[in-house]
Amino acid sequence: MSPPRYRRHAEVLWRRVPGGAVVLPPTQDAPIHLNGPAVLVWELFDSGATVGAVRDAVAALCDADPDEISEDVAGMVAYLAGAGTLEVAR
Amino acid sequence: MTLAEALPTVGHAPLTAAVAAFGLTGSLCELPDVPLAPRAWDELLGTVRHERIPGLLAAAVAAGALPVEPEQGAAAGEAAVLSAGSCLLVERRLLAVHERFDQAGIPTRVLKGAAFAHTLYPDPAQRAFGDVDLLVPGDHYDDATAVLTAMGAHRRYPEHRPGFDRRFGKGAAFILPDGYEVDLHRTFVSGPLGLRVDTDGLFRTATPFELGGRTLLGLGLEEQLIHACYHAALGSARPRLTALRDIAQLAPHPRLDVHRVRRLAAAWHGEAVVALGVDLAWRTFRLADRTALSVWAPHYEPTPAERRVLSVYVGTSRSYAGQALAGVAALPRPADKLAYARAIALPAGPDRSHLAAMRHHWARGVRAITDALRP
């Protein structure tokens, strides 16, 4: 079974701001300010990706070892999905 | 006599205008090349928030076009985050109202803020806004009002008389239960210039954009420019920088049909307004780039009749009462003139507080009518 692909939730409203993004998921009453690695992860889910693909892309962009950042990326994806900013791509 | 001589307007500080011009091709506005002193920075930040241009300030800072101290950069970033969040919350209300209108079969065009942010600017964060602006056709106006009322919204001001908004009004402001404002428009402005706009024609063209997974419609490109000019030139005593920036984004647009702009503006008796709006934008942002409209605008000579109509919107005799009363002359049918005059002179409903203001301006208004009727 292939790992799930996530993408940005179609109903999320958002804006880029210097160094980050402000997102308003459909399930939240207040906007969320993403910065640092979180916004990088958010950007990488533009058109749908697996957590592993995003981890590898973040590792390449940050010149980091994928295994070392795996837990952090998974945590960010869990946070973003839990906040309603990501949905499973069909 | 040119527009600038006939209709002097209050300008903006060069530094604020330079921030609002950031990214505009051909602007000769200059940002300082060293960080501002603390007091000057605080003043700038306050004005930037008031003018709703934190997105442009943050972009200028991020691009290195405006050098800042570290704490100033942080403050600019924070202002941009707050501005962005505020716009997203307005967009959520826009989508909610739009969905209810859609379900009720009410056609809409999104005006100004959200539509311009998503169709004209390289980054929507550069165009902030504070409320929902929706245009609906006059024959759907009462239905739209009923939908908003069903959503728990209340009118900010009472209608002059039942049916006035649908037939003659610019529109009305509604306050949603959570405090957000929805400006429900029928036309661009109150008074004679609003009454002469072909409001049915505004729904024959559209500029679509995506928002929150839905497709919304803004006005057609030429109508957008004309509306931006009406809003900038007539909307407030001092034109808002966002409104002027909208004109500067629209006028050089490669798909803009300048002949259609001129034709529509002439049909709506609004050529002087378009010329004034374009000229204000070019002067405010010191735009060196020449477009067909920017070459035409400063040389446009308003007729005496145009100057009389504009005088109720611009300058020291600007007043809502004057605009309302001058509207009588813009209505072609005697029955409409009578109904309109009756509504503004004898408003119905429990709150007649605006009647006192109307009477206060009555003498000035009568003069406005007399002037408007003069050949």
Side-chain angles (χ1 to χ4, degrees):
Chain A
M1 189 175 169
S2 56
R5 289 170 59 83
Y6 292 92
R7 67 180 173 205
R8 292 180 199 160
H9 196 295
E11 293 175 27
V12 170
L13 301 171
W14 67 287
R15 292 283 192 280
R16 280 195 182 86
V17 292
V22 180
V23 299
L24 180 59
T27 53
Q28 304 283 326
D29 290 332
I32 302 166
H33 182 201
L34 303 177
N35 55 19
V39 76
L40 184 57
V41 170
W42 163 257
E43 294 276 357
L44 288 166
F45 279 112
D46 183 15
S47 55
T50 63
V51 176
V54 167
R55 176 204 59 208
D56 293 346
V58 171
L61 286 166
C62 302
D63 196 20
D65 182 338
D67 290 337
E68 284 183 14
I69 64 166
S70 184
E71 202 171 314
D72 288 339
V73 169
M76 281 177 219
V77 173
Y79 170 77
L80 291 170
T85 67
L86 300 177
E87 61 184 352
V88 176
R90 304 279 172 211
Chain B
M1 183 183 280
T2 63
L3 279 165
E5 292 161 341
L7 300 163
T9 49
V10 184
H12 290 273
L15 177 57
T16 321
V19 171
F22 174 72
L24 271 179
T25 306
S27 173
L28 301 178
C29 290
E30 290 182 0
L31 289 163
D33 52 12
V34 293
L36 295 171
R39 178 177 283 188
W41 170 262
D42 290 344
E43 281 178 15
L44 175 66
L45 197 57
T47 311
V48 159
R49 288 195 188 105
H50 175 73
E51 291 286 340
R52 297 202 181 116
I53 51 171
L56 289 163
L57 175 67
V61 170
L66 177 62
V68 290
E69 302 291 355
E71 64 275 15
Q72 294 173 343
E78 188 182 328
V81 168
L82 291 173
S83 170
S86 172
C87 290
L88 298 183
L89 292 168
V90 173
E91 285 183 347
R92 173 171 285 176
R93 273 74 188 173
L94 166 62
L95 287 167
V97 174
H98 182 270
E99 184 175 16
R100 296 289 291 269
F101 282 7
D102 214 23
Q103 289 166 353
I106 301 168
T108 55
R109 292 292 182 272
V110 182
L111 299 180
K112 300 187 290 187
F116 286 169
H118 290 281
T119 61
L120 295 180
Y121 286 75
D123 178 350
Q126 294 183 3
R127 176 56 163 94
F129 44 90
D131 49 34
V132 173
D133 287 284
L134 277 171
L135 179 84
V136 298
D139 54 3
H140 287 275
Y141 200 91
D142 292 343
D143 296 337
T145 297
V147 168
L148 287 170
T149 304
M151 292 177 76
H154 66 272
R155 290 180 66 113
R156 187 182 284 282
Y157 302 109
E159 192 175 14
H160 284 300
R161 291 188 82 83
F164 180 86
D165 289 345
R166 168 172 48 82
R167 293 178 70 186
F168 308 120
K170 172 195 175 187
F174 290 79
I175 310 301
L176 292 168
D178 56 11
Y180 283 84
E181 183 171 312
V182 178
D183 290 340
L184 189 64
H185 300 253
R186 188 194 69 89
T187 184
F188 292 170
V189 284
S190 60
L193 288 167
L195 289 164
R196 284 175 168 136
V197 172
D198 172 15
T199 50
D200 290 339
L202 297 175
F203 291 85
R204 288 190 203 111
T205 56
T207 303
F209 63 99
E210 300 295 318
L211 185 66
R214 295 173 65 94
T215 301
L216 282 70
L217 300 177
L219 292 170
L221 199 57
E222 292 77 23
E223 289 87 344
Q224 283 186 335
L225 174 63
I226 297 173
H227 182 225
C229 290
Y230 275 64
H231 181 54
L234 313 179
S236 52
R238 178 157 79 170
R240 288 196 82 119
L241 285 166
T242 46
L244 295 171
R245 175 73 190 238
D246 292 339
I247 295 170
Q249 293 289 138
L250 277 158
H253 198 289
R255 289 203 312 276
L256 186 80
D257 181 344
V258 174
H259 298 295
R260 186 163 179 267
V261 170
R262 296 277 307 276
R263 202 166 57 243
L264 288 175
W268 302 345
H269 297 227
E271 278 188 298
V273 185
V274 172
L276 183 59
V278 171
D279 190 44
L280 280 169
W282 250 251
R283 281 190 283 131
T284 301
F285 299 133
R286 301 180 59 209
L287 292 167
D289 281 14
R290 291 156 64 87
T291 69
L293 286 171
S294 73
V295 170
W296 160 77
H299 303 293
Y300 184 83
E301 293 196 21
T303 64
E306 283 178 316
R307 278 210 290 274
R308 279 195 296 276
V309 169
L310 283 172
S311 71
V312 298
Y313 293 95
V314 181
T316 50
S317 27
R318 165 191 169 84
S319 77
Y320 174 74
Q323 292 162 26
L325 291 164
V328 177
L331 293 165
R333 297 194 319 150
D336 286 341
K337 284 183 192 289
L338 191 63
Y340 179 88
R342 184 164 175 259
I344 59 173
L346 301 167
D351 182 359
R352 295 161 68 99
S353 57
H354 57 305
L355 185 58
M358 191 67 79
R359 283 182 177 143
H360 178 71
H361 293 287
W362 186 257
R364 185 185 292 170
V366 170
R367 277 200 303 279
I369 289 181
T370 312
D371 288 348
L373 291 171
R374 198 179 294 156

